[in-house]
Amino acid sequence: MASTGPPRSLKRSDTSLTREGDQLIITPLGAGNEVGRSCVYMSYKGKTILFDCGIHPAYSGMLFHLDHAASLPYFLDKTTFKGRVFMTHATKAIYKLFLSDYVKVSKVSVEDMLYDEQDILRFMDKIEVIDFHQTLEVNGIRFWCYTAGHVLGAAMFMVDIAGVRVLYTGDYSRQEDRHLRAAEILQFSPDICIIESTYGVQLHQPRNVREKRFTYVIHSTISQGGCVLIPDEYWSNHPELHNIPIYYASPLAKRCMAVYQTYINSMNERICNQFANSNPFDFKHISTLKSIENFNDVGPSVVMASPNGLQSGLSRQLFETWCSDKKNACVIPGYVVEGTLAKTIINEPKEVTLMNGLTAPLNMQVHYISFSLMQILHRQVCS
């Protein structure tokens, strides 16, 4: 969703402001009164900018970056658009991996796909990169970006057209997490702020409280012989659980680790200091699970699988295998959108519909403990 306010320069009673092109127009093409498929059109003084170009996560099966940028290949390759496209370095690096994975795991038919692998390879060269705090100018539009926290590469863009400054940001976090810095506090206020407001009116428990709840659920489920997921650091501090296998069911995540290590300077101080002595992204207690055929489902185990919405893929396959056993647990650690199975099971229905159309009892424990804090302390971003 997006919220806007009038720029100071448009408050004047100057009759020249009524001329065509002097009215600043903002049109949400997506993410207006909904979560996902972010796309905001802005025009002013004959200049046009498109912020984001996403796909709805309920259809894409993923959320990370794709709800902000997964429609971009189609927009660049299949339309008459002739402008320029900018991303941060880290976003572009990880973006290609996610697009390729999206094409492989998408639920839609080949005929309905917006693009294929060849389209992705062809359009990546059209994306230009920008450093944080670097100022660029294109056809009279000046812009630069700030660190947004949230995920690697996330940025808040400040755009200046004829002295009117507009800040656009999707997801951001003013709380430093376990590996990334917090979103920056700006040195001045923009005239207009277009901002993600998914969590804009919600209060969250402190992270340490949520982590304690999270690990308690994990420990108690494992102790009774069930299956669930768990964070690496907690596992390290509990040697009595070291004989329990932990899997990361995402080859994509393994490839993304190389990107995280490449941009280690984008991490917070703790991670940068740790990297000088050891690799913080080398998880010694976690193994990669390539497919459900490679999974020896005997006894308690911990599996981190995607997509988070349980629409398809390994997470859906494992859910359908485990959902009828009350010893098991499903912990949903991030935001889920309407139309996904994850959203459905949060309400704990008695039955769920399987991919084959049949129904199964939902006996497993379901816990929603969100670590997706997109807008923590949002009032501090603009000082």
Side-chain angles (χ1 to χ4, degrees), residues 237-284:
N237 296 332
H238 289 77
E240 74 275 14
L241 300 178
H242 285 184
N243 63 328
I244 305 297
I246 314 174
Y247 301 99
Y248 208 127
S250 176
L252 171 64
K254 186 176 182 179
R255 294 195 297 271
C256 288
M257 286 300 101
V259 179
Y260 272 67
Q261 293 173 54
T262 300
Y263 294 96
I264 198 71
N265 289 333
S266 297
M267 306 299 162
N268 59 30
E269 184 177 357
R270 183 181 70 87
I271 292 295
C272 290
N273 292 338
Q274 183 180 343
F275 193 75
N277 300 311
S278 63
N279 183 358
F281 298 108
D282 181 15
F283 305 116
K284 62 181 180 180

Side-chain angles (χ1 to χ4, degrees), residues 65-314:
H65 283 329
L66 296 188
D67 59 325
H68 292 274
S71 290
L72 188 57
Y74 178 88
F75 184 66
L76 290 182
D77 201 52
K78 310 292 185 181
T79 73
T80 58
F81 176 75
K82 302 298 181 185
R84 296 168 67 180
V85 178
F86 294 89
M87 291 181 181
T88 61
H89 289 266
T91 294
K92 182 177 179 180
I94 211 165
Y95 180 57
K96 181 180 178 181
L97 298 176
F98 273 85
L99 285 182
S100 298
D101 190 71
Y102 163 67
V103 169
K104 294 175 184 175
V105 304
S106 179
K107 297 183 297 182
V108 302
S109 63
V110 175
E111 295 77 15
D112 292 331
M113 285 294 294
L114 294 177
Y115 46 82
D116 56 27
E117 191 75 34
Q118 293 302 313
D119 294 328
I120 295 173
L121 294 175
R122 185 167 53 252
F123 106 98
M124 286 301 295
D125 288 338
K126 299 179 181 179
I127 298 176
E128 301 176 57
V129 292
I130 181 173
D131 291 317
F132 290 104
H133 307 137
Q134 176 187 7
T135 300
L136 297 178
E137 183 167 343
V138 177
N139 297 328
I141 304 172
R142 295 176 64 246
F143 56 96
W144 57 96
C145 61
Y146 302 94
T147 300
H150 180 59
V151 295
L152 180 64
M156 305 181 289
F157 274 87
M158 185 74 77
V159 176
D160 186 317
I161 302 177
V164 175
R165 288 173 170 171
V166 178
L167 178 72
Y168 178 85
T169 180
D171 306 328
Y172 71 92
S173 176
R174 275 290 301 138
Q175 183 181 66
E176 182 174 298
D177 64 22
R178 289 187 174 274
H179 66 292
L180 289 175
R181 302 167 186 162
E184 296 180 71
I185 296 178
L186 310 189
Q187 296 177 342
F188 53 84
S189 297
D191 297 296
I192 291 180
C193 188
I194 308 172
I195 197 166
E196 181 95 12
S197 56
T198 305
Y199 289 113
V201 295
Q202 296 185 24
L203 296 176
H204 295 274
Q205 293 178 320
R207 188 180 69 185
N208 65 320
V209 175
R210 285 176 284 118
E211 288 180 348
K212 187 175 181 179
R213 287 176 54 211
F214 186 65
T215 51
Y216 173 79
V217 169
I218 305 305
H219 204 145
S220 60
T221 303
I222 291 296
S223 298
Q224 66 181 9
C227 302
V228 78
L229 69 87
I230 199 167
D232 182 56
E233 182 173 340
Y234 180 83
W235 210 256
S236 301
N237 296 332
H238 289 77
E240 74 275 14
L241 300 178
H242 285 184
N243 63 328
I244 305 297
I246 314 174
Y247 301 99
Y248 208 127
S250 176
L252 171 64
K254 186 176 182 179
R255 294 195 297 271
C256 288
M257 286 300 101
V259 179
Y260 272 67
Q261 293 173 54
T262 300
Y263 294 96
I264 198 71
N265 289 333
S266 297
M267 306 299 162
N268 59 30
E269 184 177 357
R270 183 181 70 87
I271 292 295
C272 290
N273 292 338
Q274 183 180 343
F275 193 75
N277 300 311
S278 63
N279 183 358
F281 298 108
D282 181 15
F283 305 116
K284 62 181 180 180
H285 298 295
I286 302 176
S287 303
T288 301
L289 180 62
K290 294 182 179 180
S291 68
I292 199 167
E293 288 77 18
N294 301 114
F295 180 46
N296 184 22
D297 191 9
V298 178
S301 63
V302 177
V303 180
M304 294 172 275
S306 61
N308 71 321
L310 302 174
Q311 302 97 308
S312 58
L314 259 171

Side-chain angles (χ1 to χ4, degrees), residues 316-329:
R316 180 61 175 262
Q317 292 174 300
L318 290 169
F319 172 82
E320 294 194 358
T321 301
W322 292 347
C323 69
S324 299
D325 192 333
K326 64 181 181 180
K327 296 196 306 293
N328 299 328

